[in-house]
Amino acid sequence: MPAGNNTLHSASAFVEARLIKPDRLDALQKVAARYAVAITPALIDLIDTADPHDPIARQFVPYEYELESLPEENADPIGDEARSPVPGVVHRYPDRVLLKLLNACAVYCRFCFRREMIGPGRGALTGRALTAAIDYIARTPEIWEVILTGGDPLLLPPRRLKDVVTRLAVIDHVKVIRLHTRIPVAAPERVTPALLCALQTDKAMFIVLHANHPRELSSEARAACARVIDAGIPMLSQSVLLRGVNDDAGTLGALMRALVECRIKPYYLHHADLAPGTAHLRTSIMEGQALMRALHGRYSGLCQPHYVLDIPGGHGKSPIGPTYLSADGNEITDFKGARHAFPPRRPD
Ligand code: SF4
């Protein structure tokens, strides 16, 4: 299941690739011993090693601050465990479940909200656990949608993916299968005809791409997404708002435009979760709201994601604004920031 032979999996490999200066090796080996590290050739190619603030490197190259946790940070920041009726399933909302097929990814994001649970060697659901998970879904008729996640489910061999999709598709009340992945940007060569064949089903299938910076939509990534969409699978996106990566309106807008140009509808902009050792990558919610206002002011409606926060403790996602209607409901703010009475006041 590895992402590829040339993927870097250790701090020393990052040094050899000149992504880390040798004098930081000792400190970053401690980080790599605590949290999984990996970056694929497709993403290494996008890094400008001369730029100490490179937004791709910032997402994947380990950093000393990761060993500093704040009291409000949590090993399970969105409360997966509290909402897990059987291993591998998270049932947070009545009509949908997460099915976590494996605990490995092609790359390990430094801000990952599941960083305490994922990494190489953390395994996949066993055959018996998968059967128990699918049995739970089959005997719970309010489940309308199953979200395949992990880790990254597109790391699984096509034969195993096909088995999962086929077993879910025969459950009458499951109408939608959604799959969350970073593979089209992290390892676009893995989007093969065999993989796409494995995802064919009569049920509605959606793929949600995780991408955070417009540079991630390289020509190879765009071609991989086009193969997915041309195979009849619509795509949405999710991005994480990250300090030093996409926390300015120009970058965020360029990301949303790049996604739409690839026929991918921006779906979620996540406020970064309170995962341990990730404070240096988080913004404030106020900053996020200002960025959403800027997106609203400058970019097409197709480029507008929902800005959401996963409430710690497993209470689910909520939209966190900004709001355009005044608290008393009598005034609305337009895309330029001007306020208007609603309904319009009649001239005396
Ligand atoms: S791809 Fe998702 S699950 Fe994997 S490391 Fe990144 S954020 Fe975590």
Side-chain angles (χ1 to χ4, degrees), residues 95-317:
D95 72 340
R96 56 206 184 273
V97 289
L98 300 180
L99 177 54
K100 298 199 281 188
L101 293 174
L102 76 170
N103 297 317
C105 294
V107 285
Y108 291 106
C109 310
R110 306 325 301 161
F111 50 87
C112 176
F113 64 125
R114 297 203 176 109
R115 59 189 336 211
E116 299 278 0
M117 303 136 201
I118 59 160
R122 296 283 185 110
L125 271 192
T126 62
R128 187 176 293 187
L130 179 62
T131 296
I134 292 176
D135 283 350
Y136 174 82
I137 294 166
R139 67 173 186 269
T140 311
E142 54 273 28
I143 297 173
W144 174 81
E145 179 182 21
V146 177
I147 300 162
L148 304 179
T149 184
D152 197 318
L154 289 193
L155 272 189
L156 287 173
R159 179 179 44 79
R160 289 209 49 207
L161 265 179
K162 188 176 181 63
D163 171 61
V164 173
V165 170
T166 305
R167 290 166 74 183
L168 291 173
V170 298
I171 302 173
D172 194 44
H173 55 265
V174 172
K175 305 296 187 190
V176 178
I177 302 171
R178 192 198 321 171
L179 190 150
H180 287 180
T181 184
R182 216 155 172 22
I183 287 290
V185 298
E189 71 284 357
R190 294 183 75 103
V191 181
T192 59
L195 181 84
L196 295 170
C197 182
L199 299 177
Q200 294 302 314
T201 169
D202 289 343
K203 297 293 170 86
M205 166 71 76
F206 292 84
I207 287 189
V208 179
L209 174 72
H210 173 181
N212 302 322
H213 190 276
R215 236 197 273 158
E216 290 172 50
L217 277 305
S218 63
S219 55
E220 292 80 8
R222 287 173 189 243
C225 294
R227 292 197 290 280
V228 170
I229 296 165
D230 291 345
I233 303 173
M235 290 186 73
L236 307 166
S237 71
Q238 54 181 340
S239 305
V240 184
L241 181 57
L242 295 167
R243 182 172 300 288
V245 174
N246 56 18
D247 62 335
D248 67 274
T251 302
L252 203 56
L255 170 65
M256 299 305 155
R257 277 190 172 169
L259 290 162
V260 173
E261 288 162 16
C262 293
R263 297 178 278 163
I264 301 170
K265 172 71 186 88
Y267 179 36
Y268 279 142
L269 176 66
H270 296 275
H271 190 74
D273 295 310
L274 293 170
T278 61
H280 58 293
L281 291 167
R282 287 197 295 273
T283 66
S284 69
I285 289 179
M286 300 292 280
E287 289 169 294
Q289 290 183 333
L291 286 165
M292 288 300 294
R293 274 194 208 94
L295 283 190
H296 174 62
R298 297 186 213 166
Y299 297 92
S300 159
L302 285 175
C303 297
Q304 310 294 326
H306 299 287
Y307 180 39
V308 292
L309 173 73
D310 246 298
I311 303 171
H315 303 291
K317 286 181 190 61

